[in-house]
Amino acid sequence: MNKRIIVVANKCFEADPLIGVFYNSAARSLQSIQMDLGEFRNEKSGQPPKDRSPRANLTLNGVVSEIWCLQDLMDPLVPGTYSNTSEKARILPEIFDFKKGFIPSLVIAFGTAASNPQEPSQNGCVNVGSSVFVHNYYADKPEQSPSNWSDEAWSDRAISSFSAAELLSGVLGHADIVTNVQDRALSPPNLPSGNKSLQVVPDGIAVSPSM
């Protein structure tokens, strides 16, 4: 085993369908991906989860991809859960330290969000970028937030991953990869896009507001 990839979903309603995709043999039959599932989580139990492990481990050619869900690890008794940014910051190190001394080669933040408003609708499309911008909207009104989390080293500046940008640039050179993903895309029921597309933008920036 020489590489470790971490995929981090935010909420359970984002992690659940991601895991569901890999239950379908058509999604992994061509490449013989081995999948080991973690235990089922009951996020409404009222108690912090005991099983602090990935939702799933996907293994292919010695590379292990761990699928994590932040909500699985968060304390449901913390105010504002499951949107409390400081609570997310507290449990994130658990994911990276899960395999001591085994630094991940790639980290992927997976989730549902909106892109720049455009017409026609882009619902059902996928945007992939390599940078993130974190901003604490409640910095001047902390009484309105249960968290009011900010970090001087990371807040209010674009954090870029040059290796990820290089990787995404390579994807653009393989039209078959892009076409394969687009052909598998499903149309959402609400204002679906008439052109389901995978938009790979090596210098794309995700905006992440702190709650």
Side-chain angles (χ1 to χ4, degrees):
M1 191 181 304
N2 51 21
K3 288 187 177 181
R4 177 189 180 202
I5 296 175
I6 293 177
V7 181
V8 183
N10 189 20
K11 305 287 183 66
C12 287
F13 64 76
E14 294 167 327
D16 290 346
L18 177 60
I19 297 297
V21 167
F22 289 102
Y23 266 117
N24 190 322
S25 60
R28 52 192 173 92
S29 59
L30 295 179
Q31 296 180 313
S32 301
I33 298 176
Q34 176 186 346
M35 181 170 69
D36 298 315
L37 292 173
E39 295 182 8
F40 176 77
R41 277 27 167 221
N42 180 5
E43 67 272 13
K44 295 182 180 179
S45 65
Q47 296 295 327
K50 295 180 180 180
D51 178 20
R52 310 184 75 78
S53 62
R55 280 285 188 103
N57 292 286
L58 309 175
T59 305
L60 175 65
N61 297 331
V63 179
V64 176
S65 298
E66 305 165 15
I67 299 179
W68 291 85
C69 177
L70 291 182
Q71 186 174 340
D72 288 342
L73 306 180
M74 296 172 69
D75 187 342
L77 303 181
V78 172
T81 304
Y82 294 99
S83 296
N84 189 305
T85 304
S86 61
E87 173 65 3
K88 294 176 184 180
R90 182 186 70 82
I91 55 92
L92 267 172
E94 288 190 36
I95 296 176
F96 294 95
D97 295 340
F98 181 68
K99 294 180 179 178
K100 298 293 184 182
F102 196 4
I103 299 174
S105 301
L106 179 66
V107 178
I108 301 173
F110 171 87
T112 55
S115 60
N116 287 337
Q118 297 182 28
E119 293 292 343
S121 168
Q122 289 189 303
N123 290 349
C125 297
V126 177
N127 293 336
V128 185
S130 64
S131 304
V132 64
F133 179 86
V134 179
H135 172 69
N136 181 8
Y137 175 78
Y138 298 97
D140 59 348
K141 41 184 175 291
E143 71 283 353
Q144 298 182 20
S145 170
S147 171
N148 191 33
W149 180 90
S150 61
D151 186 290
E152 293 182 359
W154 303 103
S155 297
D156 294 324
R157 67 187 183 94
I159 308 299
S160 302
S161 170
F162 297 106
S163 57
E166 182 179 354
L167 175 64
L168 294 180
S169 296
V171 171
L172 290 175
H174 295 273
D176 56 327
I177 296 178
V178 176
T179 300
N180 195 356
V181 172
Q182 292 177 163
D183 288 345
R184 293 168 181 258
L186 300 176
S187 295
N190 298 327
L191 297 175
S193 170
N195 180 27
K196 297 173 293 185
S197 62
L198 168 63
Q199 302 178 43
V200 181
V201 186
D203 59 351
I205 300 176
V207 178
S208 178
S210 175
M211 301 294 288

